[in-house]
Amino acid sequence: AEGGGDFARAMITTDTRTKETAVRFEVEGRTYHVGGCAKGSGMIHPDMATMFGFITTDAPADPAWLQAALGLIADRTFNMLDIDMDTSTSDTVLVFANGAAGGDEIGRGHPAAGALAGAIEAVARHLTRELARDGEGAETLIEAVVEGAAELEDARLAARTIVSSPLVKTMVTGRDPNWGRVMMAIGRSGARVDQTLVSVWVGPHCVLERGTPTAVDLSMVSAAMAEDEVQLRVDLGLGEASAVAWGCDLTAEYVHINADYTT
């Protein structure tokens, strides 16, 4: 019970800190817990890669239901993460359920099923954001929100391309209000796009509204990127599907980390 922090620290490589979180929830008078930790800082590009994630719960979950739930959750969290467009052969996310909380097995139709899946997703989302925040050399967490897509896969393609684009990453690094970088990313993503319908926000500032540049003060747009977290939001204006992806800026420190040693 006392070893969680040691476990999280033992597996880090170029990470600058551990990534851990836990939540507690109650359903019909019974209390359940979900905890998790993850490791990863470089060579991370959808899907996962060079990343380890371990999630545990004391809920008595049905294995088949739990596996299916984890797959859906990973597609919305860990598989929407990019650090540097590179991958390796080593990636794993595991969930363990020991049933110590007692009660009936939780699966489809159980009153606690939705809450348990929600708790696992909350842990996975937190860990994903922390992995992005601690990307090699990173100074800024980038969250890309794509709304109004014709299909879910379009939203995911666009969001993942935004956070993986070197030009978008360096745009944030340099606080450059060149929102054309975002348009470039969604345009090459493979998603269905009609540029006359697209709206773009950098932080709270709308820089493009249905294909027309706004009169926003670009110095305010630059200032919005001078934070430790920046949201880039796009409305494609074509439907109801949406997705979120996470990444980080690209700095000189990333080059030093990867250029100053030999493996």
Side-chain angles (χ1 to χ4, degrees):
E2 295 77 32
D6 289 340
F7 176 78
R9 178 162 294 281
M11 64 180 176
I12 66 175
T13 51
T14 54
D15 306 59
T16 66
R17 57 185 178 273
T18 60
K19 291 89 176 173
E20 306 170 74
T21 191
V23 297
R24 179 176 60 236
F25 65 98
E26 183 178 307
V27 177
E28 296 186 340
R30 190 178 297 275
T31 300
Y32 306 92
H33 303 82
V34 176
C37 63
K39 166 267 178 204
S41 193
M43 292 185 74
I44 297 176
H45 178 66
D47 297 312
M48 295 192 290
T50 327
M51 193 206 80
F52 295 119
F54 300 96
I55 299 174
T56 62
T57 179
D58 56 8
D62 169 63
W65 174 87
L66 188 60
Q67 178 65 46
L70 179 64
L72 293 173
I73 290 165
D75 278 345
R76 293 192 291 264
T77 55
F78 298 114
N79 288 339
M80 297 298 289
L81 170 65
D82 178 90
I83 300 299
D84 51 12
M85 293 189 71
D86 277 322
T87 64
S88 80
T89 58
S90 303
D91 62 77
T92 300
V93 172
L94 297 175
V95 60
F96 302 88
N98 65 12
D104 296 335
E105 187 175 73
I106 297 174
R108 183 183 297 275
H110 190 284
L116 176 56
I120 294 172
E121 183 156 357
V123 168
R125 181 176 292 253
H126 175 86
L127 294 175
T128 299
R129 287 172 53 85
E130 288 303 294
L131 290 166
R133 195 185 301 277
D134 193 34
E136 289 180 339
E139 297 177 350
T140 304
L141 167 67
I142 301 173
E143 179 178 80
V145 178
V146 175
E147 302 167 331
E151 304 288 345
L152 176 59
E153 186 57 25
D154 285 342
R156 287 179 171 173
L157 281 170
R160 288 162 62 160
T161 305
I162 290 170
V163 296
S164 68
S165 165
L167 286 178
V168 171
K169 290 173 176 290
T170 51
M171 161 193 158
V172 174
T173 302
R175 318 309 187 207
D176 177 11
N178 184 356
W179 50 263
R181 306 297 196 198
V182 179
M183 287 295 290
M184 172 278 301
I186 64 173
R188 71 170 176 84
S189 68
R192 179 183 168 192
V193 176
D194 180 341
Q195 67 180 23
T196 67
L197 300 177
V198 176
S199 298
V200 176
W201 289 259
V202 176
H205 305 294
C206 181
V207 295
L208 185 74
E209 185 171 10
R210 295 185 69 82
T212 301
T214 68
V216 64
D217 183 343
L218 293 182
S219 67
M220 296 175 63
V221 178
S222 295
M225 290 185 284
E227 303 287 344
D228 60 7
E229 181 174 332
V230 172
Q231 184 184 87
L232 303 175
R233 183 162 66 94
V234 173
D235 186 339
L236 295 177
L238 292 170
E240 302 297 326
S242 63
V244 184
W246 297 272
C248 60
D249 56 347
L250 180 59
T251 67
E253 183 61 22
Y254 176 86
V255 177
H256 287 307
I257 290 170
N258 289 284
D260 292 350
Y261 75 102
T262 299
T263 57

